[in-house]
Amino acid sequence: MRSRVRLLTAVTAVTAVVLLAGCSSSPAEELEDWWSSGGDDRVKGLSDTSGRVNEVYGRPLDTYGPACQDLLTEVAKAKKFGTPPSENAQGFWKEALTAFEHGGGECVAGAGQNDQPRAGEGIREVQKGLSRLAAAVSMIRSDLKAK
């Protein structure tokens, strides 16, 4: 009887290990999980706030700081959430976050110091990030569609 219990326990343990090892996801499934578990929300947040930064450009300087600070908040959320598991999109994603973070920081600093040229340069960098974000999203959607 003891040998049956030991054998059953050993078989159960081996089965659990095989099942866990055999459950690895494909890159397409990982990307879909990333997208559906909040990646789409991170993209929307970045898109909305960077678009708002773009809209305040040319308006009074006091509108720059809050818009740029909101963008920096979204960048922090996106960084915490993680990079999309798409080899095609990762470079563009990182470039977008870098441009948003640096440009947003310069915008906030310039607005806080009443330095229009510095704030404007920050916004122009954010605008570059917009194109990188668009490229990343295009790659992500292409990868999702190919699934």
Side-chain angles (χ1 to χ4, degrees):
M1 180 72 171
R2 281 187 182 189
S3 62
R4 278 190 192 167
V5 171
R6 285 185 201 162
L7 180 60
L8 184 56
T9 302
V11 169
T12 302
V14 169
T15 302
V17 169
V18 169
L19 286 174
L20 289 174
C23 290
S24 63
S25 302
S26 71
E29 290 170 330
E30 288 176 16
L31 180 59
E32 189 163 309
D33 288 346
W34 179 89
W35 183 258
S36 64
S37 68
D40 61 336
D41 293 333
R42 297 292 56 87
V43 166
K44 183 170 180 6
L46 289 167
S47 179
D48 289 350
T49 56
S50 61
R52 192 167 132 236
V53 168
N54 190 44
E55 288 172 9
V56 300
Y57 192 46
R59 292 187 182 168
L61 186 59
D62 64 343
T63 62
Y64 289 21
C68 292
Q69 188 58 56
D70 289 347
L71 175 60
L72 292 174
T73 299
E74 285 301 322
V75 168
K77 289 178 187 177
K79 287 177 123 182
K80 185 176 180 181
F81 187 73
T83 304
S86 162
E87 286 184 31
N88 296 323
Q90 286 178 356
F92 291 115
W93 181 262
K94 289 176 184 174
E95 289 173 14
L97 293 183
T98 298
F100 290 156
E101 187 170 47
H102 184 260
E106 286 298 297
C107 172
V108 168
Q113 296 170 356
N114 205 26
D115 183 347
Q116 174 73 37
R118 183 177 183 186
E121 184 59 35
I123 289 179
R124 286 188 293 281
E125 190 165 349
V126 168
Q127 291 169 337
K128 291 176 188 174
L130 275 166
S131 67
R132 300 302 189 270
L133 180 63
V137 172
S138 176
M139 296 293 177
I140 290 168
R141 288 193 172 138
S142 177
D143 287 351
L144 288 170
K145 189 182 281 186
K147 180 185 168 200

